[in-house]
Amino acid sequence: QVQLVESGGGLVQPGGSLRLSCAASGSVFNIGLMGWYRQAPGKERELVATISRGGATNYGDSVKGRFTISRDNAKNTVYLQMNSLKSEDTAVYYCNAVVVVVGVPNYWGQGTQVTVSS
């Protein structure tokens, strides 16, 4: 199985920046796509960004141009650089990993809180 641990969340003022990290451990050999999702109070969980093993990226419309996802395969770690943060970015951010083996479930981290407030 795979364990995912997020870090880097916290309180930041509007217009500020944060960098989130997600470190994978356990059976990491067959991890394929990794990504970040977020969930704000009273709202559905939504896509933030994904990145393939080869580096192809996909972003949710609300974060395009402000957030950047990156990946270090040697360290089994995915990052999310968040710039120009807005109050509406406030949410719990979750790391996700897809395992490319048939019948094996995807994995989620516990989440890290990001609060954007003045």
Side-chain angles (χ1 to χ4, degrees):
Q1 58 183 333
V2 173
Q3 294 80 44
L4 302 173
V5 179
E6 303 98 334
S7 62
L11 175 65
V12 65
Q13 293 185 339
S17 298
L18 282 174
R19 185 173 185 255
L20 306 183
S21 298
C22 173
S25 61
S27 301
V28 301
F29 185 80
N30 291 120
I31 292 177
L33 196 73
M34 297 187 72
W36 292 93
Y37 296 75
R38 68 186 184 186
Q39 188 167 19
K43 299 183 67 176
E44 297 291 320
R45 187 173 296 188
E46 66 174 344
L47 167 72
V48 176
T50 62
I51 183 167
S52 72
R53 299 176 78 179
T57 58
N58 183 49
Y59 294 92
D61 289 340
S62 63
V63 307
K64 287 180 179 177
R66 300 187 299 120
F67 292 9
T68 302
I69 189 170
S70 60
R71 180 172 181 168
D72 187 335
N73 290 330
K75 296 181 179 179
N76 299 308
T77 301
V78 65
Y79 306 93
L80 184 69
Q81 179 66 47
M82 304 184 293
N83 298 325
S84 302
L85 283 162
K86 308 173 182 178
S87 60
E88 50 262 49
D89 294 318
T90 296
V92 177
Y93 285 70
Y94 297 93
C95 182
N96 171 260
V98 176
V99 179
V100 290
V101 177
V102 65
V104 177
N106 296 342
Y107 294 90
W108 294 88
Q110 292 294 313
T112 185
Q113 176 71 49
V114 172
T115 302
V116 185
S117 177
S118 59

